[in-house]
Amino acid sequence: MKFKNFDSLFNFYRNGQIFKKGKTKKNGKPFGIWNLYSNDGKLREIREWFVIDGHSRINRVWFLDKKGDTIAWRYQDSIFNQKEFVNDTIGTRATDYNVFDFNKDTIFLNEPIRGIAYCNSRRIRDYDSQIRIFLHSENVDFNSPFPNDSLIRRDSFKNLKADSINHKWFTHIKPDRYGHVSIFGAWFENPGQKLLRGYMEEYSYGPFEDKEIDSVTARVYFEKTIFVKDTIEQNHSVQHSI
Protein backbone atom coordinates (compact mmCIF):
# COMPACT_ATOMS: atom_id res chain seq x y z
CA MET A 1 0.00 0.00 0.00
CA LYS A 2 1.67 3.21 -1.17
CA PHE A 3 1.24 6.73 0.18
CA LYS A 4 2.81 10.03 -0.76
CA ASN A 5 5.48 10.18 1.93
CA PHE A 6 5.55 6.70 3.44
CA ASP A 7 4.75 3.04 2.89
CA SER A 8 2.62 0.74 5.02
CA LEU A 9 4.44 -2.50 5.79
CA PHE A 10 2.80 -5.82 6.72
CA ASN A 11 4.67 -8.99 7.76
CA PHE A 12 2.86 -12.34 8.02
CA TYR A 13 3.36 -15.73 9.64
CA ARG A 14 3.40 -18.82 7.46
CA ASN A 15 -0.11 -19.66 8.71
CA GLY A 16 -1.40 -16.41 7.18
CA GLN A 17 -1.80 -14.51 10.46
CA ILE A 18 -0.29 -11.04 10.56
CA PHE A 19 2.94 -10.73 12.55
CA LYS A 20 3.50 -6.96 12.52
CA LYS A 21 2.34 -3.86 10.72
CA GLY A 22 3.42 -0.24 10.66
CA LYS A 23 4.73 2.59 8.51
CA THR A 24 8.14 3.34 7.05
CA LYS A 25 9.57 6.41 5.41
CA LYS A 26 10.62 6.13 1.77
CA ASN A 27 14.16 5.45 3.01
CA GLY A 28 12.92 2.44 4.99
CA LYS A 29 13.05 4.04 8.45
CA PRO A 30 10.11 2.96 10.67
CA PHE A 31 7.98 5.64 12.34
CA GLY A 32 4.69 5.97 14.15
CA ILE A 33 2.84 3.10 15.82
CA TRP A 34 3.82 -0.49 15.03
CA ASN A 35 1.67 -3.41 16.20
CA LEU A 36 3.07 -6.91 16.73
CA TYR A 37 0.84 -9.99 16.99
CA SER A 38 1.25 -13.57 18.19
CA ASN A 39 0.84 -16.38 15.67
CA ASP A 40 -2.78 -16.87 16.79
CA GLY A 41 -3.69 -13.29 15.84
CA LYS A 42 -3.61 -11.55 19.24
CA LEU A 43 -2.04 -8.09 19.64
CA ARG A 44 0.93 -8.56 22.00
CA GLU A 45 3.21 -5.55 21.58
CA ILE A 46 2.89 -1.89 20.52
CA ARG A 47 5.95 0.14 19.57
CA GLU A 48 6.09 3.89 19.07
CA TRP A 49 8.82 5.06 16.68
CA PHE A 50 9.96 8.62 16.01
CA VAL A 51 12.44 9.79 13.38
CA ILE A 52 14.70 12.13 15.37
CA ASP A 53 17.70 13.90 13.85
CA GLY A 54 17.27 11.63 10.84
CA HIS A 55 17.38 8.36 12.82
CA SER A 56 14.50 6.04 13.74
CA ARG A 57 14.30 5.56 17.50
CA ILE A 58 12.03 3.56 19.77
CA ASN A 59 10.26 6.10 21.96
CA ARG A 60 7.80 4.01 23.98
CA VAL A 61 6.73 0.36 24.09
CA TRP A 62 3.68 -1.40 25.55
CA PHE A 63 3.53 -5.17 26.13
CA LEU A 64 0.18 -6.98 26.31
CA ASP A 65 -0.96 -10.33 27.66
CA LYS A 66 -3.26 -12.75 25.84
CA LYS A 67 -6.33 -10.86 27.07
CA GLY A 68 -5.03 -7.55 25.72
CA ASP A 69 -4.15 -6.09 29.13
CA THR A 70 -0.87 -4.24 29.61
CA ILE A 71 1.89 -6.17 31.36
CA ALA A 72 4.96 -4.65 32.97
CA TRP A 73 7.71 -6.48 31.11
CA ARG A 74 8.19 -8.59 28.04
CA TYR A 75 8.99 -12.02 29.53
CA GLN A 76 6.17 -11.82 32.05
CA ASP A 77 4.19 -13.86 29.52
CA SER A 78 5.76 -16.89 27.84
CA ILE A 79 4.46 -15.86 24.39
CA PHE A 80 7.55 -13.69 24.00
CA ASN A 81 9.65 -16.83 23.79
CA GLN A 82 8.03 -17.31 20.39
CA LYS A 83 10.94 -17.27 17.95
CA GLU A 84 9.62 -14.34 15.89
CA PHE A 85 9.58 -12.14 19.01
CA VAL A 86 12.99 -13.38 20.14
CA ASN A 87 14.47 -12.52 16.74
CA ASP A 88 12.78 -9.10 16.62
CA THR A 89 14.62 -7.53 19.55
CA ILE A 90 14.64 -3.95 20.81
CA GLY A 91 16.59 -2.23 23.56
CA THR A 92 13.85 -2.35 26.19
CA ARG A 93 11.88 -5.16 27.81
CA ALA A 94 9.68 -2.98 30.05
CA THR A 95 6.35 -1.32 29.30
CA ASP A 96 6.46 2.49 29.31
CA TYR A 97 3.89 4.03 31.66
CA ASN A 98 4.74 7.66 30.94
CA VAL A 99 1.59 9.63 30.09
CA PHE A 100 0.92 12.85 28.17
CA ASP A 101 -2.65 14.08 28.74
CA PHE A 102 -4.18 16.93 26.75
CA ASN A 103 -7.33 18.85 27.60
CA LYS A 104 -8.75 19.04 24.05
CA ASP A 105 -8.30 18.09 20.40
CA THR A 106 -9.97 21.28 19.13
CA ILE A 107 -9.44 24.77 20.56
CA PHE A 108 -10.45 28.35 19.79
CA LEU A 109 -7.98 31.04 18.71
CA ASN A 110 -8.05 32.70 22.13
CA GLU A 111 -7.40 29.61 24.23
CA PRO A 112 -4.30 27.47 24.77
CA ILE A 113 -3.81 23.78 24.37
CA ARG A 114 -2.88 22.43 27.80
CA GLY A 115 -1.07 19.23 28.64
CA ILE A 116 0.11 17.32 31.68
CA ALA A 117 3.12 15.01 31.65
CA TYR A 118 3.35 12.19 34.18
CA CYS A 119 6.72 10.47 34.43
CA ASN A 120 5.53 7.06 35.66
CA SER A 121 8.42 5.08 34.17
CA ARG A 122 11.66 6.62 35.34
CA ARG A 123 14.61 5.96 33.07
CA ILE A 124 17.10 7.43 35.54
CA ARG A 125 16.72 5.07 38.46
CA ASP A 126 20.08 5.24 40.21
CA TYR A 127 19.86 8.95 41.08
CA ASP A 128 17.28 11.48 42.22
CA SER A 129 15.68 12.91 39.10
CA GLN A 130 13.11 15.47 37.99
CA ILE A 131 11.42 16.29 34.69
CA ARG A 132 10.86 19.32 32.50
CA ILE A 133 9.05 19.81 29.21
CA PHE A 134 10.41 21.36 26.03
CA LEU A 135 8.08 22.32 23.18
CA HIS A 136 9.30 22.54 19.60
CA SER A 137 8.72 25.39 17.20
CA GLU A 138 5.45 25.15 15.28
CA ASN A 139 5.71 22.90 12.23
CA VAL A 140 3.15 22.69 9.43
CA ASP A 141 4.79 19.71 7.71
CA PHE A 142 3.06 16.72 9.31
CA ASN A 143 5.36 14.23 7.58
CA SER A 144 8.64 15.83 8.62
CA PRO A 145 10.93 14.16 11.17
CA PHE A 146 11.86 15.73 14.48
CA PRO A 147 14.65 18.23 13.70
CA ASN A 148 17.73 18.82 15.81
CA ASP A 149 16.54 19.47 19.37
CA SER A 150 19.00 22.28 20.02
CA LEU A 151 17.50 24.27 17.14
CA ILE A 152 13.80 23.85 17.72
CA ARG A 153 13.11 24.52 21.40
CA ARG A 154 10.39 27.12 21.75
CA ASP A 155 9.21 26.97 25.36
CA SER A 156 10.21 25.08 28.49
CA PHE A 157 8.12 24.15 31.52
CA LYS A 158 9.24 23.10 34.98
CA ASN A 159 7.76 20.37 37.15
CA LEU A 160 5.32 20.84 40.03
CA LYS A 161 8.14 20.97 42.56
CA ALA A 162 9.04 24.39 41.13
CA ASP A 163 5.56 25.26 39.81
CA SER A 164 3.79 25.92 43.11
CA ILE A 165 1.03 28.00 41.50
CA ASN A 166 -0.54 24.82 40.10
CA HIS A 167 -0.39 22.72 43.28
CA LYS A 168 -4.08 23.42 43.97
CA TRP A 169 -5.08 21.42 40.90
CA PHE A 170 -3.15 18.32 42.01
CA THR A 171 -4.23 17.64 45.58
CA HIS A 172 -4.55 13.97 44.62
CA ILE A 173 -0.79 13.74 44.02
CA LYS A 174 1.61 13.31 46.92
CA PRO A 175 4.28 16.04 47.17
CA ASP A 176 7.09 13.51 46.69
CA ARG A 177 5.73 13.00 43.14
CA TYR A 178 5.83 16.71 42.22
CA GLY A 179 9.22 16.41 40.57
CA HIS A 180 7.80 13.95 38.02
CA VAL A 181 4.67 15.86 36.98
CA SER A 182 4.70 18.90 34.69
CA ILE A 183 2.01 21.19 33.23
CA PHE A 184 2.68 22.71 29.82
CA GLY A 185 0.80 24.48 27.06
CA ALA A 186 0.89 26.56 23.90
CA TRP A 187 -1.04 29.25 22.05
CA PHE A 188 -1.45 29.41 18.27
CA GLU A 189 -1.70 32.65 16.30
CA ASN A 190 -3.45 31.21 13.23
CA PRO A 191 -6.33 28.76 12.72
CA GLY A 192 -6.07 25.35 11.10
CA GLN A 193 -4.60 21.96 11.86
CA LYS A 194 -1.46 22.08 14.00
CA LEU A 195 1.15 19.60 15.13
CA LEU A 196 2.41 20.20 18.65
CA ARG A 197 5.70 18.44 19.28
CA GLY A 198 8.04 18.27 22.22
CA TYR A 199 9.74 16.03 24.72
CA MET A 200 9.84 15.29 28.40
CA GLU A 201 13.39 15.41 29.71
CA GLU A 202 14.18 13.51 32.88
CA TYR A 203 17.39 14.83 34.42
CA SER A 204 19.65 14.55 37.42
CA TYR A 205 22.56 16.80 38.33
CA GLY A 206 25.75 15.58 39.98
CA PRO A 207 28.35 15.36 41.18
CA PHE A 208 28.04 11.57 41.08
CA GLU A 209 30.43 9.40 43.02
CA ASP A 210 30.48 6.69 40.35
CA LYS A 211 30.52 8.94 37.27
CA GLU A 212 32.83 11.60 35.88
CA ILE A 213 29.98 13.54 34.25
CA ASP A 214 27.97 16.39 35.78
CA SER A 215 24.46 15.38 34.67
CA VAL A 216 22.33 12.52 33.34
CA THR A 217 19.34 13.00 31.04
CA ALA A 218 16.74 10.84 29.28
CA ARG A 219 14.04 11.96 26.85
CA VAL A 220 10.57 10.77 25.89
CA TYR A 221 9.08 12.47 22.83
CA PHE A 222 5.45 13.27 22.09
CA GLU A 223 3.31 14.89 19.42
CA LYS A 224 -0.32 15.97 19.33
CA THR A 225 -2.49 16.94 16.37
CA ILE A 226 -4.71 19.92 17.21
CA PHE A 227 -7.31 21.85 15.24
CA VAL A 228 -7.57 25.59 15.95
CA LYS A 229 -10.96 27.10 15.09
CA ASP A 230 -11.14 30.41 13.26
CA THR A 231 -13.38 31.81 15.99
CA ILE A 232 -13.01 33.22 19.49
CA GLU A 233 -14.74 31.60 22.44
CA GLN A 234 -16.80 33.98 24.54
CA ASN A 235 -16.34 34.12 28.33
CA HIS A 236 -13.24 31.97 28.10
CA SER A 237 -11.32 31.40 31.31
CA VAL A 238 -8.03 29.60 31.88
CA GLN A 239 -8.10 27.09 34.73
CA HIS A 240 -4.46 26.02 34.83
CA SER A 241 -1.59 28.43 34.63
CA ILE A 242 0.88 27.72 31.85
Side-chain angles (χ1 to χ4, degrees), residues 46-99:
I46 302 172
R47 299 176 180 177
E48 180 185 56
W49 291 84
F50 279 133
V51 179
I52 302 168
D53 294 340
H55 302 283
S56 288
R57 301 181 186 178
I58 285 283
N59 190 54
R60 291 185 290 176
V61 181
W62 300 270
F63 301 109
L64 311 175
D65 63 16
K66 295 178 181 179
K67 297 180 180 179
D69 297 325
T70 304
I71 54 179
W73 53 288
R74 183 168 182 165
Y75 287 102
Q76 189 173 332
D77 190 313
S78 61
I79 190 65
F80 296 112
N81 290 323
Q82 185 180 298
K83 66 178 182 179
E84 290 84 1
F85 282 92
V86 172
N87 293 333
D88 196 311
T89 58
I90 54 177
T92 180
R93 293 291 182 271
T95 285
D96 189 299
Y97 291 101
N98 293 312
V99 175

Side-chain angles (χ1 to χ4, degrees), residues 10 38 46 66-67 69 75 92 101 122 142 162 179-180 183 191 214 224-225 238 240:
F10 299 84
S38 58
I46 302 172
K66 295 178 181 179
K67 297 180 180 179
D69 297 325
Y75 287 102
T92 180
D101 279 340
R122 291 177 55 185
F142 282 64
H180 293 93
I183 298 175
D214 296 326
K224 173 70 173 177
T225 301
V238 178
H240 293 177

Side-chain angles (χ1 to χ4, degrees), residues 51-53 133-139 144-156 195-199 219 221-222:
V51 179
I52 302 168
D53 294 340
I133 300 296
F134 290 97
L135 295 184
H136 293 174
S137 298
E138 185 176 338
N139 190 346
S144 66
F146 274 81
N148 186 289
D149 288 331
S150 63
L151 301 178
I152 44 74
R153 292 179 180 176
R154 179 179 69 181
D155 296 310
S156 63
L195 184 62
L196 180 69
R197 281 175 161 175
Y199 59 87
R219 294 175 180 175
Y221 292 79
F222 63 88

Side-chain angles (χ1 to χ4, degrees), residues 8 14 32 40 56 60-61 94 116 120 140 153 156 175 178 182 190 200-201 234 236 238:
S8 288
R14 291 185 177 181
D40 58 356
S56 288
R60 291 185 290 176
V61 181
I116 306 173
N120 298 323
V140 296
R153 292 179 180 176
S156 63
Y178 282 174
S182 179
N190 301 304
M200 175 181 71
E201 183 174 74
Q234 301 299 320
H236 173 70
V238 178

Side-chain angles (χ1 to χ4, degrees), residues 115-140:
I116 306 173
Y118 298 92
C119 180
N120 298 323
S121 294
R122 291 177 55 185
R123 300 188 179 186
I124 301 175
R125 300 179 181 179
D126 296 332
Y127 311 100
D128 290 333
S129 68
Q130 302 182 51
I131 66 167
R132 55 194 171 197
I133 300 296
F134 290 97
L135 295 184
H136 293 174
S137 298
E138 185 176 338
N139 190 346
V140 296

